[in-house]
Structure formats: structure tokens, C-alpha cells
Amino acid sequence: MFVNSNGYNLGVREDEVVVNDVDLPPWAKKPEDFVRINRMALESEFVSCQLHQWIDLVFGYKQRGPEAVRALNVFHYLTYEGSVNLDSITDPVLREIPEAYFIRDPHTFLLTKDFIKAMEAQIQNFGQTPSQLLIEPHPPRSSAMHLCFLPQSPLMFKDQMQQDVIMVLKFPSNSPVTHVAANTLPHLTIPAVVTVTCSRLFAVNRWHNTVGLRGAPGYSLDQAHHLPIEMDPLIANNSGVNKRQITDLVDQSIQINAHCFVVTADNRYILICGFWDKSFRVYSTETGKLTQIVFGHWDVVTCLARSESYIGGDCYIVSGSRDATLLLWYWSGRHHIIGDNPNSSDYPAPRAVLTGHDHEVVCVSVCAELGLVISGAKEGPCLVHTITGDLLRALEGPENCLFPRLISVSSEGHCIIYYERGRFSNFSINGKLLAQMEINDSTRAILLSSDGQNLVTGGDNGVVEVWQACDFKQLYIYPGCDAGIRAMDLSHDQRTLITGMASGSIVAFNIDFNRWHYEHQNRY
């Protein structure tokens, strides 16, 4: 809205300056900065702590009466709800009175034609006061400013020296952990960190919600001494490996990586691709048994992704293939299948077919909130499609950014793309390149914090790094691990980062994005 992107002729000012893009204040170098900084201000703790006072003035007890007078919050009497109802003036004679006529006493007057016009003009130009919803003070919003003084606050670290590494969990198998899915919400039947290795041995590692405010959902004093992740007993005891091993044959040319797997939000099913018959398949994590085979592509399926889940567990699944297309599917949380009808013998049909790539699709991300799918092929630009299948635009990377490998999208509409040889780009959803960087690591996993402000990366060097997403400013480097990082995910509360390692172990890190937040650094 601040950029004349269509190049319209908007005229010339009196000082002969051509009217074009909106002039920005000195603190905003570009329109994206202006929007981002304004958002930061509106979402800041200072504003959060004053919100109830604004509600009192506009909708609450300070809207009318003595409190409004005390708060200097009094407006023209015609703006208040109920003071005038133009629709009720139906008498045509009243509307046609030729001259002003008032009954001159302090309480009543006769509406005249000119006065009606004046009222209409007043309302059209100055608006009307909203309905008064509250007659008592609105309570203040709970904020990090208040919570930071409580014991074991999840929002602020009182001790900045808290250990970076919480725990290391080594699986009996030495196969690299190539996928990590942390579905840890307390209301789940099994809050867990699901891991899948290169040899397609999966583990459902129970999650203990040990971090949180006393009394908050999921917090238990009994659990307080536990480590957050408990190894899957079937893997630890080596007793039920047959229930955890996917034995169906994959295509020999497929390189097993994080994109080959998707875990449903309830931890009950794993979707796996790469099979020689051009299908992807659904397996129960409880039994390890195959529950559904999904066909639709003309060549081997090379990558999968799922959107955030709706209430009930429904979500979108996107599959990408060597046939250079993507298919959008719907996962039914109620029936635990792709598609809507569990009784149908027919194979489910995709919701949309996404085309435009010239090569094998290697990475994809889908955001239900934005209604967008962003995908990358072996080479060429990444493409942005709607979930109905329309191609919106291509994200043309800078020079030498030709081979996209990882994609992460925030609900704010920013898209981080990792290209081969350590190159990163940040695009707006409108296709504008906002920032780029190059690092000395072959990155294998990236993820964005839930607010889209921070980027976490890990790769063959075994180092987790945290960056500011908008400009790739480095915020933190964790201690190096003794093996490469292959996969990553965050717990539901954004307080624990779990990485899958090439050595066959997982590492849980303490992470607190608040400590890199500008307000936290300035105030605490």
C-alpha cells in the first residue's frame, strides 16, 4: 500500500516533486521496515499494558458520564448511540419544513429540514461513537512484564546462564535421525517427539511437559524432576522393533531426508514417500502397520509437507514428485485418512494439481492460514501457488541461487529459502527479495519461530545458529555438536529445540526467543 508498484501517474506537487511512493520517516529504510517496526510497536509490552485503558475510553465506563468528562473523552452529542435515529423521521412534512424552527426550551427542539441535513453531514464526516459495552473498568492484559517476576516463568529467563543443552538421547541404532516432529501439546493422548532414521526406523518418544508456570496446563510437580524426552520403550528395550520399522521398499535412487516424512499433529500416523510404485503411504505409529496407499503422481514422490492443523486434526498435505508437479491433499483428522470417505474403495482424489516447475520437486511448504504453497525444484525459481492450484508468482533468487533445498514460511507472509552452498534468501509473499546471506555450512534443517521473527538453522557442521529473520543478523551460536544436524523441530511452547543428529541421537536445547527480543534486551 505504500509503493506505486504499477507506476501510475499520480501527478506533480506544487514544488514540482513527482508523486510516487509514500514518503517514509527516517527510521524506516523501506516500506517493509515501516510495517515491521509499527507491528513491533503495536505488539510491544508498553502497548499491551495500556490496552485496557483504551478499551475503557472507546467501549467502556469512560465513554459516557462523569468518568468521560474526567478523562476529557467527550464528543459532540450527535455522535452518541441513541441520540438520533434518522430512519425514524418518516413524516414528509417534517422533512419539508422550509425554515428553521426550534421550540426554545432547554430540553426539546423540533427537527427541521436543514437540521436533518446537518445531522446527516455530521455523521458522514465525523462518524458515531460505538456501543458502550462495559460499565466497569476492563482488567489489564496479562503480560510478560508481570510474568517475569513469577517463579519458573516460561516467558523470561531470570538466569541468562541457563544451560544451552538439556539432554542428549542416543538411540541403539546408529542410523542418522533424518526427521523430528515435536507434537508436545499437553492435551494430546501421547505428547511426543517422533523421530525417523535414515533406515526408516521410527520412535515415539514421550514428552514430559516439565517447563511451565506452576498451575499452568501440562505442569506437574511430579514431573518436575524428569528430563523432557523419554525414549520409546520399544526402541530402548529392543523388544518391539518390528512395530517401529518401515520395511516397504523405497526407490533405490531416493535420498532419504527430512522431506520424505510427515507426522500428523496427534502423533498417531506417519506419511512416507519415495516408494517405487509412485505412491506415498500412511502408517500407524502404534502398530507400524500400513493403513493407506495414495496414488496420483506419474513418477516417484520426492517430498511431503503438512500445514498447521485445524480443530479436529484436519490439515493439508502436499506431495511433490519427479514428474515436476505437486498435489494438494486433505487429511481428515476424524477418519485418519487422506480424503473424506473411509468407506470408499476408490483412491482419494487430490484437491488441486500445482504445475509450473521444469524439474523434480525437492522441497515444499504449505501454510493454511495464508492459503499458499511454496515449492522448489532441483533447479530454477521457487513457485508460489494458492491452495486452489493457481500459480501466483515465481520467487527469483539472486545470482547463484539456482538450487533451492529448504523452504520455511511464516504466517506473517515471509518466506525463507535455503539454496545449495550456504545461500539464504528472505522473500515477501509478494515476491520481493528482502534480505540474503551466505554461510559456511551445508544446512540440512531450518525453521522459523511461531511469530516469524527468528530463524534457526543447523547443518553438517553440527552447530545450531539463531538469526533475525528480517535481515539475517546473527543472534546466537549454540555449542557445537559432535555430529551433523539432519532435522529440527520446536516444542509447542517454543522453549525446547530438538535436533536429529547424523550419529543417531537427538539433542534437546533450551531456547528462549524472548531473550533476543528488542524489549527484553532493553528492559530486563
Side-chain angles (χ1 to χ4, degrees):
M1 62 184 282
F2 301 112
V3 180
N4 183 16
S5 53
N6 292 313
Y8 291 134
N9 181 3
L10 302 174
V12 180
R13 298 192 323 206
E14 288 180 5
D15 58 2
E16 298 188 352
V17 173
V18 176
V19 178
N20 196 21
D21 295 345
V22 174
D23 287 341
L24 300 172
W27 47 263
K29 294 191 175 98
K30 50 184 187 269
E32 289 79 15
D33 285 344
F34 184 75
V35 172
R36 180 176 58 83
I37 294 167
N38 265 297
R39 275 185 179 167
M40 286 165 69
L42 288 169
E43 294 293 340
S44 68
E45 288 306 318
F46 181 79
V47 171
S48 293
C49 290
Q50 316 291 331
L51 269 181
H52 63 290
Q53 298 185 32
W54 174 80
I55 293 169
D56 291 338
L57 288 167
V58 180
F59 299 102
Y61 80 110
K62 291 183 181 178
Q63 190 201 81
R64 301 182 181 208
E67 290 293 344
V69 175
R70 267 196 284 275
L72 304 178
N73 191 37
V74 180
F75 298 89
H76 191 282
Y77 70 95
L78 285 178
T79 66
Y80 289 95
E81 185 181 48
S83 64
V84 64
N85 184 355
L86 293 175
D87 295 332
S88 68
I89 307 166
T90 56
D91 185 346
V93 176
L94 194 60
R95 284 186 177 269
E96 295 301 324
I97 292 175
E99 57 192 46
Y101 178 93
F102 285 90
I103 297 172
R104 301 198 180 273
D105 70 58
H107 306 294
T108 60
F109 55 82
L110 180 68
L111 294 172
T112 70
K113 183 180 178 184
D114 290 340
F115 192 70
I116 291 168
K117 283 183 180 172
M119 279 194 300
E120 288 175 336
Q122 166 84 22
I123 291 164
Q124 286 167 357
N125 285 286
F126 298 101
Q128 285 186 287
T129 307
S131 302
Q132 187 176 21
L133 304 179
L134 307 162
I135 54 172
E136 294 178 350
H138 192 283
R141 182 182 130 172
S142 296
S143 105
M145 277 187 178
H146 307 141
L147 288 173
C148 68
F149 301 112
L150 296 175
Q152 292 204 332
S153 160
L155 291 173
M156 299 290 174
F157 277 136
K158 299 302 284 180
D159 179 9
Q160 286 295 309
M161 298 305 289
Q162 185 159 4
Q163 286 183 321
D164 282 327
V165 178
I166 305 170
M167 62 179 295
V168 179
L169 202 63
K170 177 73 181 73
F171 294 111
S173 156
N174 289 322
S175 181
V177 177
T178 54
H179 188 83
V180 174
N183 297 309
T184 57
L185 283 163
H187 67 73
L188 293 174
T189 312
I190 311 171
V193 176
V194 178
T195 57
V196 192
T197 69
C198 212
S199 58
R200 291 175 303 137
L201 181 72
F202 69 89
V204 183
N205 309 288
R206 184 171 280 277
W207 174 264
H208 297 290
N209 283 289
T210 58
V211 177
L213 282 173
R214 286 192 172 92
Y219 185 84
S220 159
L221 284 174
D222 299 336
Q223 294 179 344
H225 62 279
H226 279 305
L227 290 169
I229 306 169
E230 180 186 340
M231 189 184 294
D232 186 332
L234 295 184
I235 298 294
N237 305 332
N238 213 22
S239 58
V241 175
N242 59 318
K243 285 186 173 181
R244 296 288 185 256
Q245 180 68 57
I246 306 297
T247 55
D248 296 347
L249 288 173
V250 292
D251 191 277
Q252 293 300 305
S253 62
I254 282 287
Q255 189 176 4
I256 301 290
N257 59 35
H259 294 125
C260 295
F261 309 97
V262 157
V263 178
T264 57
D266 58 6
N267 291 321
R268 293 177 62 185
Y269 294 89
I270 300 180
L271 287 68
I272 303 179
C273 69
F275 296 102
W276 61 273
D277 62 359
K278 304 162 192 169
S279 70
F280 67 90
R281 305 184 181 194
V282 183
Y283 295 86
S284 162
T285 56
E286 189 181 348
T287 63
K289 288 184 177 174
L290 176 67
T291 60
Q292 190 179 18
I293 302 179
V294 183
F295 292 102
H297 286 284
W298 294 96
D299 206 334
V300 174
V301 181
T302 48
C303 58
L304 294 170
R306 83 164 169 88
S307 70
E308 64 278 30
S309 289
Y310 297 106
I311 293 171
D314 289 11
C315 63
Y316 290 110
I317 301 286
V318 179
S319 58
S321 167
R322 276 199 188 137
D323 64 14
T325 69
L326 300 112
L327 299 178
L328 183 88
W329 311 85
Y330 199 76
W331 172 263
S332 168
R334 181 181 170 199
H335 301 302
H336 308 297
I337 57 166
I338 297 280
D340 302 317
N341 187 357
N343 302 317
S344 172
S345 57
D346 297 333
Y347 289 115
R351 291 282 180 99
V353 180
L354 283 50
T355 59
H357 288 295
D358 297 324
H359 301 276
E360 167 185 340
V361 181
V362 294
C363 52
V364 62
S365 183
V366 54
C367 178
E369 188 175 339
L370 297 174
L372 294 176
V373 177
I374 293 133
S375 55
K378 219 163 191 175
E379 61 179 276
C382 291
L383 301 182
V384 182
H385 289 85
T386 66
I387 52 176
T388 54
D390 297 321
L391 175 59
L392 288 183
R393 60 183 54 86
L395 303 177
E396 296 280 357
E399 195 179 0
N400 297 326
C401 291
L402 301 172
F403 310 108
R405 293 297 174 261
L406 302 167
I407 298 174
S408 189
V409 185
S410 76
S411 58
E412 300 292 318
H414 289 283
C415 178
I416 308 288
I417 301 173
Y418 169 73
Y419 300 87
E420 268 190 3
R421 303 200 179 107
R423 297 184 174 97
F424 284 84
S425 293
N426 180 3
F427 291 92
S428 77
I429 217 62
N430 293 324
K432 182 176 179 182
L433 180 64
L434 303 177
Q436 55 180 306
M437 74 165 173
E438 195 169 332
I439 61 172
N440 290 322
D441 190 7
S442 182
T443 302
R444 297 296 193 103
I446 64 172
L447 55 83
L448 284 163
S449 56
S450 59
D451 61 3
Q453 299 291 321
N454 302 104
L455 171 72
V456 186
T457 64
D460 289 346
N461 289 356
V463 177
V464 173
E465 297 176 83
V466 184
W467 314 80
Q468 194 165 280
C470 62
D471 57 4
F472 292 130
K473 174 188 171 188
Q474 191 173 65
L475 300 174
Y476 195 69
I477 305 175
Y478 279 86
C481 301
D482 58 359
I485 294 164
R486 295 294 176 87
M488 286 193 302
D489 203 6
L490 282 165
S491 59
H492 70 280
D493 58 3
Q494 304 272 296
R495 296 299 307 269
T496 309
L497 174 74
I498 302 104
T499 61
M501 312 302 292
S503 58
S505 58
I506 57 174
V507 180
F509 294 90
N510 266 316
I511 194 162
D512 180 13
F513 294 110
N514 282 303
R515 78 195 248 199
W516 302 299
H517 193 276
Y518 72 102
E519 277 190 286
H520 185 221
Q521 291 180 329
N522 293 340
R523 289 171 188 263
Y524 303 107

